[in-house]
């Protein structure tokens, strides 16, 4: 093992050789042997090996292996120095290997090392994006779970920081191709991250690009399979996939496949859905997604059939007036509860799809059915007016901080819901029914969109190593390079749902109303 003095002497030989440095192979070998020495020798080797690496291609493997040994040293200062210098080895055919090594080093729990690895990866990304992606995706597909997880998070947070000259169309095509391979076997959380990666690519911002992403999501959602409402994994997969699809829909990218599936497979089983997460109002969650998608539904093959299913489900939440006894009092013990949150979603979806078949209520329903519907609408509208008056009175004069209390937040949301329902009911009372009014769903922000304005994307970055995943299986067991067993493996514990809490507001007189406030945890 060389001493510190020998390392300096051989460094001097190489430094003084200038153009003839490649002729001093023995001197470089002495420096490589420095990794077997003590702490001081290793620190010097970590600096000297990369400095002359390019002059000795025949010793490339030995040099990279020597540097890798230093990257795994027990001394943190040696590891950091060795990692910092790794990009100097990323030349030619060595670059994918260096990218692979750096990707594996993402598993470190030392924040300084983690930042060095991130910076090194970004550095070689700018040298050769395709080669770096090769190393990253190699580990995503066949590496340890912790390495896979952090490599995916690296892509999801760092890709968008790279300049356009690095993320060329060709590079983005490679990302899409490799991502499709990974999506054959992903957890729910991984799927969300990959959709974030892909939806941020410039080449997929076009109509055809968004359509391609929708098709990817539809494949993950398995829309060709019969829906199983009692299987929490099946319900979870549909919810997560639909959430990823919703932001992609537009007047040019239609939601027809998803809306059709919801009408045909999900609505008939709404009451028997198994919630994948405790505290989630699964029925309301499904109805909200359907409402958001209904605005962008294109031509539907079985429009009348699906509209009828939607109409029948709406009727379940729009009760008939209670029967009156001979003395004019209610014969029943209590008034029906009006579930405004559900009705807003169903009525909005019916209103959107009804535009495509405007004579549904007048020509497709028999007179008795239409009369029954009008009675329900009238009764609901009456309760609606009572509630709106009560809410306006309760909120009158309140501004600023007063509106931020939990109670008043619920009332503000309730007022949005009831106003929306009121507008939609007025449309349906027209003769013939009208579908012209426009409302913003109560949980959606009201935004003024200027012409030509593009969809905003979420931006999150991280400068420290993510915490290790909690104990327990993360994915279905994978063997290196074995074909995946399934397209989508659920990971319920790591995915954050929006949880709907409800409050029952008792009004004076006739109506007891359940109001849902949607929050994210």
């Amino acid at each position: 093992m060389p001493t510190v003095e020998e390392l300096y002497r051989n460094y001097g030989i190489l430094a003084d050789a200038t153009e003839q440095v490649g002729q001093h192979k023995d001197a470089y070998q002495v420096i490589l042997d420095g990794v077997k020495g003590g702490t001081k020798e290793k620190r010097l080797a970590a600096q000297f090996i990369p400095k002359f690496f390019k002059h000795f291609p025949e010793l490339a493997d030995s040099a990279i292996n020597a540097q890798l040994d230093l990257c795994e040293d027990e001394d943190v200062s040696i590891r950091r120095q060795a990692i910092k210098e790794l990009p100097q080895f990323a030349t030619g055919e060595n670059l994918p290997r260096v990218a692979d090594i750096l990707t594996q080093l993402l598993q470190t729990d030392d924040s300084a090392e983690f930042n060095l690895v991130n910076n090194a990866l970004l550095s070689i990304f700018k040298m050769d994006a395709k080669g770096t992606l090769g190393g990253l995706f190699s580990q995503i597909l066949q590496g340890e779970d912790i390495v896979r997880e952090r490599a995916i998070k690296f892509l999801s947070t760092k890709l968008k920081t790279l300049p356009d000259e690095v993320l060329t169309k060709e590079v983005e095509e490679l990302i899409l191709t490799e991502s499709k391979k990974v999506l054959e076997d992903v957890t729910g959380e991984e799927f969300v991250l990959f959709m974030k990666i892909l939806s941020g690519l410039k080449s997929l911002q076009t109509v055809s690009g968004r359509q391609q992403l929708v098709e990817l999501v539809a494949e993950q959602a398995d829309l060709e399979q019969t829906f199983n409402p009692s299987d929490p994994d099946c319900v979870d997969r549909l919810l997560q996939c639909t959430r990823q699809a919703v932001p992609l829909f537009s007047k040019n990218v239609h939601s027809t496949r998803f809306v059709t599936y919801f009408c045909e497979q999900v609505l008939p089983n709404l009451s028997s859905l198994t919630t994948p997460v405790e505290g989630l109002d699964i029925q309301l969650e499904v109805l909200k997604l359907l409402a958001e998608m209904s605005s962008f539904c294109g031509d539907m093959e079985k429009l009348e059939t699906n509209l009828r299913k939607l109409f029948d489900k709406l009727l379940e939440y729009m009760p008939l007036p209670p029967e009156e006894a001979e003395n004019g009092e209610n014969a029943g013990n209590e008034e029906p509860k009006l579930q405004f949150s559900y009705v807003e979603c169903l009525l909005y979806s019916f209103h959107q799809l009804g535009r495509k078949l405007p004579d549904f209520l007048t020509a497709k329903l028999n007179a008795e059915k239409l009369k029954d519907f009008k009675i329900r609408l009238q009764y609901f509208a009456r309760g609606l007016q009572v509630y709106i008056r009560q809410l306006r009175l309760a909120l009158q004069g309140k501004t600023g901080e007063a509106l931020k209390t939990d109670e008043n937040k619920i009332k503000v949301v309730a007022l949005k819901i009831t106003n929306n329902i009121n507008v939609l009911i007025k449309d349906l009372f027209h003769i013939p029914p009208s579908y012209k009014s426009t409302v913003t769903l109560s949980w959606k922000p009201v935004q003024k969109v200027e012409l030509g304005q593009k969809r905003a994307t979420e931006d999150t970055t991280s400068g420290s190593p993510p915490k290790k995943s909690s104990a327990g299986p993360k994915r279905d067991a994978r063997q290196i390079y074995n074909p995946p067993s399934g397209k989508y493996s659920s990971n319920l514990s790591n995915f954050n749902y929006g949880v709907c809490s409800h409050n029952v507001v008792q009004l004076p007189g006739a109506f007891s109303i359940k109001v849902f406030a949607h929050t994210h945890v």
Side-chain angles (χ1 to χ4, degrees), residues 203-215 248 253:
S203 58
L204 295 179
Q205 301 298 317
T206 61
V207 171
S208 60
R210 293 280 164 179
Q211 187 61 54
Q212 196 171 356
L213 288 177
V214 168
E215 288 167 5
L248 301 171
V253 181

Side-chain angles (χ1 to χ4, degrees), residues 181 184-185 482-487:
K181 296 177 186 176
E184 290 178 357
D185 182 19
N482 273 2
S485 58
K487 286 192 292 184

Side-chain angles (χ1 to χ4, degrees), residues 85-231:
E85 304 293 344
L86 270 179
Q88 295 193 54
F89 295 85
T91 56
E93 62 184 15
N94 296 315
L95 190 141
R97 184 182 175 190
V98 173
D100 191 285
I101 292 168
L102 283 168
T103 305
Q104 292 180 61
L105 291 173
L106 284 170
Q107 65 188 290
T108 179
D109 288 320
D110 181 279
S111 59
E113 278 184 55
F114 184 79
N115 286 330
L116 284 171
V117 174
N118 272 268
N119 292 336
L121 274 171
L122 285 172
S123 175
I124 66 171
F125 222 116
K126 293 170 185 176
M127 299 179 199
D128 180 357
K130 293 174 76 172
T132 307
L133 286 168
L136 280 160
F137 276 103
S138 170
Q139 285 300 316
I140 289 172
L141 286 167
Q142 57 179 301
E144 296 293 326
D145 278 352
I146 185 64
V147 174
R148 173 185 171 103
E149 176 187 336
R150 294 187 178 179
I152 293 172
K153 286 184 178 177
F154 173 86
L155 289 173
S156 71
T157 57
K158 303 299 183 185
L159 277 183
K160 57 180 171 284
T161 68
L162 295 169
D164 291 350
E165 57 266 25
V166 174
L167 281 182
T168 62
K169 184 178 180 181
E170 194 177 42
V171 169
E172 291 193 343
E173 286 174 356
L174 177 62
I175 293 171
L176 178 60
T177 300
E178 293 300 312
S179 296
K180 286 179 178 178
K181 296 177 186 176
V182 181
L183 288 172
E184 290 178 357
D185 182 19
V186 290
T187 67
E189 186 180 21
E190 289 171 344
F191 172 64
V192 171
L193 288 173
F194 267 103
M195 288 307 300
K196 179 182 173 184
I197 292 166
L198 296 176
S199 60
L201 299 180
K202 294 186 298 296
S203 58
L204 295 179
Q205 301 298 317
T206 61
V207 171
S208 60
R210 293 280 164 179
Q211 187 61 54
Q212 196 171 356
L213 288 177
V214 168
E215 288 167 5
L216 260 182
V217 178
E219 185 178 342
Q220 287 292 321
D222 224 358
L223 298 183
E224 302 303 320
Q225 296 297 316
T226 302
F227 181 65
N228 182 359
S230 61
D231 180 1

Side-chain angles (χ1 to χ4, degrees), residues 249-261 263 290-301 303 306 349 352-353 355-356:
F249 297 134
S250 67
K251 63 180 181 179
N252 296 314
V253 181
H254 295 157
S255 59
T256 314
R257 280 187 71 187
F258 282 85
V259 173
T260 299
Y261 190 82
C263 289
L290 175 59
E292 290 192 53
M293 294 189 294
S294 64
S295 305
F296 304 112
C297 185
D299 295 333
M300 186 183 287
E301 285 185 18
L303 177 59
N306 289 328
S349 301
Q352 293 295 317
L353 295 187
R355 292 175 177 176
K356 301 177 180 301

